[in-house]
Every structure is written in C-alpha cells, then in structure tokens.
Amino acid sequence: MTTRKLTGRLDGLAFGGDYNPEQWDEAVWAEDDELMRRARVNLATVGVFSWALLEPEEGRYDFAWLDAHLDRLHAGGVAVDLATPTASPPPWFTRAHPDALPVTAEGVRLVHGSRDTYCLAAPAYRDAARRVAAALAERYGRHPAVALWHVHNEYATLCFCDHAAAAFRTWLRDRHGTLDALNEAWGTAFWSQRYHSWDEVLPPRATQWHHNPGQSLDFRRFFSDVALAAYREQRDEIRAHSDRPVTTNLMLPGYQNLDLWAFGRELDFVTIDHYPDRPGLDAAADTAFGADRARSLGGGRPWLLMEQGANTVYAEGRVLPKDPGDIFRHTLGHIARGSDGALFFQWRQSKAGAETWHSAMVPHAGPDSRIFREVRALGEAVARLAEVAGSTVTAEVAVLHDAEAWWASEADGLPSPEPGYHSMLRRAHRALWDAGVVTDFAHPEHDLSRYRLVLAPALPLVTDAGAANLRRYVAGGGTLLLQHFGGVVDERPHARLGGYPAGPLREALGVRVEEPRPLRQGERVALSDGAHGTAWSEYLRLDGAEAVSAYTHGMLAGHPALTRHSFGDGRGWYLSTVLDTGDYGALVQRLLGEAGVVREWPPGVEAVTRGAWRFLLNHGGDAVPLPRAAHDLLTDGPLTELPPHGCAVLRMP
Ligand code: GLA
C-alpha cells in the first residue's frame, strides 16, 4: 500500500468527468473551457479511448494534440486524470495481431468494431499495452496538469483462446504444483476427466453439459490474476516516471470477473464507476451499496467515484431519465460514504459514435438545459464540501463479500441457481440501509472484531481459515447471520462432509444442515412466526442452537427454519430460507437491536458520519427537525430543520 493520495494535488474534492476533446473542434474546446469554469470542474479524465490517435501506427506516437489539451486544461485550472488507452486497441493493432482478439467460450473470435477487443493473456496485447503506457508516462509523468493516472478502463473481459489456455496451464502449475494435485482438486475421478498431461487441460470452453466446478472456479481466479498482472505491469511503467497516484476504475455490476479485494490492495486508491440499475429510492440504496463496497475495497480509505451518469440510468434495458435533484442526491450519497469527489461519464455528450445517447454533463441541448444547470449547482455544492476531503467513515456492521464465493455460486449443477449471489448481497445491504445503518463489506478472512453484526447472505464457499475466523468472531462477542447454503464447499470446491456448514461454523451456529431442499419457482413456505420464505429450504438439526422459527408444512413441518445459538460471548444465527423482504427486514432489525446498533434518525433519513461531518439525505416528503441547530456546508449557514427531500452536510462540534 502506498501513500500516494488524490487529495495531495487537488484543492478539496474532485469534480468533473471523462473528457474526450478529440470528438470536437476548437470552437467547442473554447466553450468547454468556459463551461468547465462555470461548473467548477477541477478534474478531467483524458485519453481513455485515444489509442488510435496517440499511436496511429505501431511504434509511432503523436502527442502534439494531447500536449495541447493538457496545457489548455492546466491553464484553466483543471487537473488531469490521465488514462492509458488500453481498453480499446486501434484497428491497426487487431489487424497486425488477430491472435490477440478475444475468443468466447463458444469459440467465436470477436472482431474489431466495438471496444475491449483483446485478450489480456495475449503477449502481443500485453506488450503493446505496456509500451503505450510507458510512452505516456515518460512524456507526462511530471506534467503539472496530471494529478493521477487511470490505467485501462473497467477490466472485465474474459477470453478462452489458446493464449489464455497456455497461460491458464502455467497458472495451474503454480497453484497446484502437480497434475495429481490438480486432478484431486478438480475431482477428475468422476466422468473420466483425469488428466495425464498438462496439455490436455483447457479453459472451461463450451462443452456438452456441466463444466467441472473446480476448472470453472480456477479459471475465474486465473483470469482475475491475469487482469491484475496486466494492471500492475502498466502501473509499474508509470511509477518509473511519475510520482502521481495510479488507479483503475472498477466496475461493480451484477457479474464480476475480478477479485476486487485483490485489486483494492494494489490501487493507490479505489475508484469505481456506478450506474444505478433502477430509478427512485432503489437508486439511492444502490448508490449506498456501490459506495460502501468501494470504501471497503480500499480498506476504509477515501476513494473516488470515477463515473456516474448525469441523467440516465440503465434499467430494464432502457435509458431512463433521472428526476430533478437525483444527480445531486446520488453524488452526495457517494461523497457521504467516502468518495473524495464525483466524476461523470462524460463531460460532453457525443454527437456521434457508440455512446451518442449516453448522458453527459453537457447534453446535446447545450448549456441552456436542465441538466447543465443541475451540474453547475452540483459543482458549486461539491466545492463547498472541500474540507471533507480525506476524511473517513466507520461502520459497525459488515456484509461478507468474497469473489470466490460468488464464482462458486455460479457453478453448473448447483441445487438451484436462485437466488443469485449479487441479489442476496443487495438484499442484505438494502435491509441495513432501510434500517438506517452504514455498512462495510468484509472478506470472511478479515479481522471482523470491530463489527457488532456481520451478515453472510451468500457464502457457499468458505475456506477453513474463513470458517475458523467466523467462529472466532462469534466466540469473541460478535453476532453473525449465515444464510442458506452457507459454508457448503471449500476452496476447491469440495463439499463439506458430515453436515453443512464447515465444522467451525457448525460449532458457532449450533446447527447441522443435512439436506438442502430448494423450492420450486414461485413456491412459498410458511414459518411458525408468521414469516414466509421462498427459493430455498433446508432440513437441519439443532446441535446447541434454539429454533427461533420452524417450517409449518410438508416434510419440514416442525423443523427449524431460523436458529440462534449463544456461543462464547456472541451469537450465531442461521437462516435456511429466503425470507420475504418485510420479514427479512424485521429479522435484520432484531439482529441490530441484539447487537446494540441504534438508529439515530427517523426512517427515510439516510445519515452518514464522515470524519467531523454528518451527511443527511432526506428521502421522505416531511421536514425533519434537527436535535440542535448546526452549520450546513451546502448552504454555508445554520440549519434547524432538514427540508422534505433535502440534503445537508453538518459540521459537527
Ligand atoms: C462505462 C465506461 C464508459 C461508458 C460508460 C457508459 O462505465 O467506462 O466508457 O461506456 O460505461 O455507461
């Protein structure tokens, strides 16, 4: 971990967005300068998709245009987040190196024409990416405009080509040592899969039926490591010429090809792109979900919202407008939870090309528009929050997140694909958000002792070390809720024998699960306390725990559904079904109460303490009186009452 910080070079919080001046001409650049000044933009991300301009042919660089933009931005007081353009190789590259184009699991080689058409494991791609990063770093490493480096864009693309296969084999040798160990780990004794030569081992390409789960899981691990190695290579080239912080913008969507914890450890600070997938209150909750994850991935340090949308969200396959005020609320939601600023994709809406209809800070309509007026007001507000930069947020509650558990939950042949990993995490976080609680995400092997409550909504895979850590957490006084199908496999992933979950967790929870009993689609089960569950049930036996509620019908009638176990100084809870939203919310409230986490503000008010400031977002239609008058940074005046749907940032005494 380094001490390179964003805040060193910016006065206050960052505000701005992706800036692609190569799409425009001089008259527009002049207007950009003026509008950026009016909107108080102080950071522009430049060069994300500029490879074809920067290196028009292999090895020949054209920096003149970029020199001019950097100098112009600098003269206008706008710092630059300089990107390496490697997420979008130019046409000459893919013509020269067709073997570096990505191949899908089905064996289809994708062609140039979109972006992200490369295989991260292809040597020609990696060399070219490193070279262009080095050339940029050499030229701009000490440029006064450059405040930070933005390597690549949203690492995510998987590839199943022969380069990937060769690199996968090398990676497998490192991980497993011998072919015997690989055969054991993957359980190749079944279905005649035993490998006698490394050359027989392939990525999990399209096959006749279920993939081997060990092969699938190792491939995900491998590809995340490849992406991280690609990142590190570029970062190290940059560091050789520059003392500015280096990062890459992580995407935190409903699928995940990266071990984000591993990336978090390597970045000088975490940056994320965040586009809510639903409008309204759901978007506010999703904002908190993304922001809490970003903060957690960086170990609690300040992070940066690298991209958000000015007026649209992708929902149900549509580009839906954001309501007036939403840009402001979402931005404040991110800053409250530790972002040292807010950037957008992109500054000016493209008039042509693939993202013509993606929103921007300056829309097609120009500056005389609702959106630009909101952007300007937001720029003013962000500037007023300067003193918040660098401060941190602490949480009393954590939700467990582990990429390996996620990948394991996507294996073929599970008892049920429902409900998915991401939706379980969203649900847990949402229940805590609804309860007015700020949540961290944590890895099952992290030190959890600072949390009063830990929810493990989706943890099918847990290592021995993780299981022991969770047992220690409960014994030490923590409250843990493990949910259905938790701890059922180890890291290979082999089933835990003798009853689920893994041994140390069985001790902490005082239960032994004998039989997963997924429910049919749409089926609901009634529980003895009046709650209902869907998707899943289990036949489990008490081994020290008490049944808090039981199933009421069928084979499971009278058998425990929700259990509680006093263990050491703490409590281990186990929930074997997916409770209806209201019932789940009530359970989470009960756990918060038991763990001593108190809500300070009325429902509808999102309150986050960041350093010496309290951020308040009123999602309700009623004014909320403050317990005592306080200074609000947003209005730079005293505040006694939070207006309906209003926001405030209070300086605490
Ligand atoms: C991503 C990318 C941007 C842009 C936006 C659109 O986050 O990084 O280049 O495509 O999505 O939402």
Side-chain angles (χ1 to χ4, degrees), residues 416 418 518-526 532-536 580:
S416 164
E418 300 294 337
L519 301 175
R520 292 193 315 273
Q521 259 185 6
E523 186 179 353
R524 281 173 95 223
V525 286
H532 288 86
T534 53
W536 203 275
D580 284 0

Side-chain angles (χ1 to χ4, degrees), residues 199-507:
D199 294 337
E200 294 164 2
V201 181
L202 294 171
R205 293 174 177 158
T207 186
Q208 198 275 342
W209 195 33
H210 291 340
H211 283 98
N212 178 299
Q215 178 194 19
S216 297
L217 180 55
D218 271 350
F219 189 72
R220 305 297 285 270
R221 289 181 172 121
F222 153 74
F223 228 96
S224 178
D225 284 357
V226 170
L228 192 56
Y231 169 76
R232 276 204 215 103
E233 248 162 45
Q234 291 199 36
R235 179 200 61 194
D236 294 348
E237 293 290 351
I238 292 167
R239 280 193 179 159
H241 300 283
S242 186
D243 61 355
R244 319 290 147 85
V246 189
T247 188
T248 185
N249 51 334
L250 302 172
M251 201 180 20
L252 313 178
Y255 64 92
Q256 196 47 259
N257 293 336
L258 303 182
D259 177 352
L260 295 170
W261 292 117
F263 269 79
R265 286 190 291 272
E266 296 283 341
L267 307 181
D268 287 339
F269 56 88
V270 167
T271 67
I272 64 158
D273 300 343
H274 194 264
Y275 297 93
D277 58 6
R278 269 170 285 180
L281 200 60
D282 291 338
D286 187 31
T287 296
F289 178 74
D292 285 342
R293 276 217 285 170
R295 183 184 65 250
S296 304
L297 294 171
R301 291 172 297 152
W303 54 279
L304 181 62
L305 175 67
M306 187 60 88
E307 289 182 23
Q308 64 173 334
N311 74 335
T312 57
V313 289
Y314 285 116
E316 306 142 15
R318 303 278 190 284
V319 174
L320 301 180
K322 280 189 182 177
D323 284 334
D326 275 354
I327 301 176
F328 189 89
R329 264 188 297 279
H330 297 170
T331 301
L332 214 62
H334 283 292
I335 294 175
R337 289 166 195 267
S339 179
D340 264 353
L343 277 65
F344 291 77
F345 181 86
Q346 58 181 329
W347 162 251
R348 188 181 277 277
Q349 190 171 11
S350 300
K351 65 173 188 271
E355 294 194 293
T356 304
W357 301 106
H358 193 284
S359 66
M361 299 166 82
V362 183
H364 288 154
D368 182 10
S369 58
R370 171 186 74 87
I371 288 171
F372 187 68
R373 278 187 283 278
E374 288 201 23
V375 164
R376 264 188 80 180
L378 179 62
E380 287 291 334
V382 170
R384 282 197 290 270
L385 301 181
E387 65 192 61
V388 165
S391 58
T392 55
V393 175
T394 46
E396 295 181 305
V397 177
V399 170
L400 296 186
H401 164 63
D402 177 15
E404 303 206 339
W406 189 337
W407 296 331
S409 76
E410 291 176 349
D412 290 338
L414 295 178
S416 164
E418 300 294 337
Y421 181 91
H422 192 63
S423 69
M424 289 301 291
L425 250 69
R426 288 275 296 263
R427 242 172 151 246
H429 185 274
R430 177 64 185 262
L432 291 162
W433 187 81
D434 285 338
V437 170
V438 177
T439 300
D440 275 352
F441 288 85
H443 186 276
E445 292 177 31
H446 283 169
D447 176 7
L448 301 169
S449 54
R450 69 174 179 281
Y451 300 114
R452 291 171 182 267
L453 173 66
V454 170
L455 303 186
L459 196 66
L461 178 154
V462 70
T463 60
D464 290 351
N469 190 46
L470 294 173
R471 180 190 183 282
R472 200 160 42 240
Y473 167 70
V474 178
T479 299
L480 171 72
L481 173 68
L482 182 72
Q483 293 178 228
H484 73 274
F485 209 50
V488 295
V489 294
D490 66 17
E491 69 277 8
R492 290 174 285 183
H494 286 198
R496 298 288 185 178
L497 304 181
Y500 319 112
L505 274 167
R506 288 209 302 271
E507 284 174 49

